[in-house]
Amino acid sequence: MIDNYNPTVGQLKLVPKNNDLASYVTYIYGEDEQAIDRLQEQYGIELNEVIRREDEIVSDFITDKETGEKFLFISYLLPDLSKGPHLDDLITSIAFLIFEEKLIVVTKQKVTSIIDTLTDLSLTVNNNFSIEAALETIDNSFALMIEELRKFKGEIDGLERHITDAGPVIPVFNDLLSLQKHMIVLSSTYKTDKRMVDFLSTHIQKIGRGNETVGHVISDLYDRVETMDSIIQKYSAFLDSLGSMINNVSSFQLNSIMKTLTEISIVLTVPSVIYGLWGINTPVLFEKNAFGMFWIVLISIILSTVVWAWLRRTRYL
């Protein structure tokens, strides 16, 4: 377990229980700009730029020129589809500075899942403390991504039911656009994060920090990435089919409307012709009859009904 021992505004420091190695984790988020600036100056890294990226990660192995200390500088993207309507608001970049006995985590805004993971973390305190803590945090984030992605299916199913029940109305188009936007965010995020996992897998072995636990977590990360990629492909294909379904339903509804208008035009043409003939300036039937207008209207109704019945019989209607 990891105990919180120094919470401050925008910064949270944690250490393992019964730790004799002075290993610790520092989590810094955007409210503590001074701490982020100090890290930039101390290690010569563009940390502010990294945590503001929504479409790119960093994977680097850096040597501190002053102390000669080496550390891994990596980041990955965490999607959060509940944040807002803009694509830039839907992704959080999480940066890690992984040293031999300490781990520094930095984000532009506070991420509750990171704190929950670290405070509930159970690790064997050894020289791999920082690596294992980082990998467990990343692994938990990937697990949350999969959980959120699976919930995404409920929204897709709801959209399908809406299309079936109500047709392609304006809310359906809005929902489809929103889902497609989220799918773009998720797809790009997962593909980008896989590059970070590849980098970790390669460099952890190079610096001699690999062990059975690390290997297991790395393997788990690959499994989660493959799972996310498989799910995202299925959902993307289903959304594409929903888009085609909406186009087909829209075309069917338009054809139905045009067919109805044509039917009305044909039926109304009959009384129009009759009234036109009776309106010409020559002697016509019922001209001097007191009920002439009534008979003309009746004839129009009868002939219109006959035309409508004929259309029905020929299955045009």
Side-chain angles (χ1 to χ4, degrees), residues 4-282:
N4 169 14
Y5 76 89
N6 184 20
T8 61
V9 176
Q11 188 171 153
L12 187 67
K13 291 189 177 180
L14 309 112
V15 291
K17 285 184 176 179
N18 304 320
N19 177 29
D20 297 327
L21 298 175
S23 300
Y24 63 90
V25 179
T26 301
Y27 175 36
I28 301 172
Y29 43 97
E31 297 174 18
D32 197 343
E33 292 288 346
Q34 292 182 350
I36 295 175
D37 291 340
R38 285 195 300 270
L39 289 175
Q40 289 194 147
E41 294 176 4
Q42 182 176 357
Y43 299 113
I45 54 178
E46 296 295 332
L47 190 54
N48 254 320
E49 181 182 347
V50 170
I51 62 175
R52 283 173 171 77
R53 293 174 182 169
E54 292 90 13
D55 57 354
E56 188 179 352
I57 63 169
V58 60
S59 302
D60 204 356
F61 188 56
I62 300 176
T63 302
D64 186 352
K65 295 180 180 179
E66 294 184 3
T67 64
E69 186 178 14
K70 296 182 179 181
F71 65 94
L72 289 174
F73 180 35
I74 64 171
S75 69
Y76 67 97
L77 305 178
L78 179 66
D80 186 352
L81 305 184
S82 62
K83 284 184 182 177
H86 302 294
L87 286 176
D88 292 346
D89 298 330
L90 301 178
I91 298 176
T92 298
S93 180
I94 302 174
F96 285 81
L97 282 70
I98 307 174
F99 298 85
E100 185 173 351
E101 293 181 356
K102 67 180 178 181
L103 171 66
I104 301 176
V105 186
V106 185
T107 59
K108 188 168 76 171
Q109 55 194 5
K110 187 176 181 180
V111 180
T112 305
S113 61
I114 292 178
I115 297 176
D116 293 342
T117 300
L118 293 174
T119 52
D120 293 336
L121 202 58
S122 296
L123 294 175
T124 303
V125 180
N126 53 31
N127 292 333
N128 263 0
F129 166 77
S130 57
I131 289 286
E132 292 184 21
L135 289 177
E136 289 291 341
T137 303
I138 297 170
D139 189 48
N140 184 70
S141 294
F142 280 22
L144 291 176
M145 291 183 201
I146 293 177
E147 183 180 344
E148 187 174 40
L149 182 57
R150 284 171 175 160
K151 292 179 182 177
F152 197 61
K153 186 177 185 299
E155 298 182 36
I156 297 178
D157 291 340
L159 178 62
E160 182 184 18
R161 287 192 298 270
H162 198 169
I163 295 172
T164 304
D165 297 339
V169 294
I170 291 179
V172 170
F173 286 110
N174 292 338
D175 291 343
L176 179 62
L177 179 62
S178 177
L179 290 174
Q180 288 176 332
K181 178 174 65 176
H182 291 169
M183 195 64 66
I184 292 172
V185 170
L186 295 173
S187 178
S188 61
T189 299
Y190 301 155
K191 290 179 181 178
T192 304
D193 287 345
K194 185 178 183 299
R195 298 203 306 270
M196 179 273 298
V197 179
D198 292 336
F199 174 85
L200 277 178
S201 178
T202 301
H203 281 75
I204 286 175
Q205 298 300 326
K206 283 185 178 181
I207 61 178
R209 304 288 292 280
N211 58 26
E212 185 176 350
T213 301
V214 170
H216 175 76
V217 177
I218 290 289
S219 177
D220 194 38
L221 287 176
Y222 275 118
D223 290 341
R224 293 193 190 281
V225 169
E226 290 178 4
T227 299
M228 289 188 285
D229 186 58
S230 174
I231 294 175
I232 207 75
Q233 288 184 14
K234 293 176 183 177
Y235 288 1
S236 295
F238 192 60
L239 274 181
D240 290 340
S241 67
L242 282 182
S244 300
M245 178 180 177
I246 287 178
N247 290 332
N248 292 336
V249 173
S250 297
S251 299
F252 176 78
Q253 288 185 337
L254 180 60
N255 290 338
S256 297
I257 292 172
M258 294 304 298
K259 181 180 178 182
T260 301
L261 292 175
T262 303
E263 295 162 357
I264 294 173
S265 299
I266 293 174
V267 173
L268 292 181
T269 297
V270 176
S272 297
V273 172
I274 294 174
Y275 298 152
L277 291 175
W278 253 268
I280 59 179
N281 241 351
T282 57

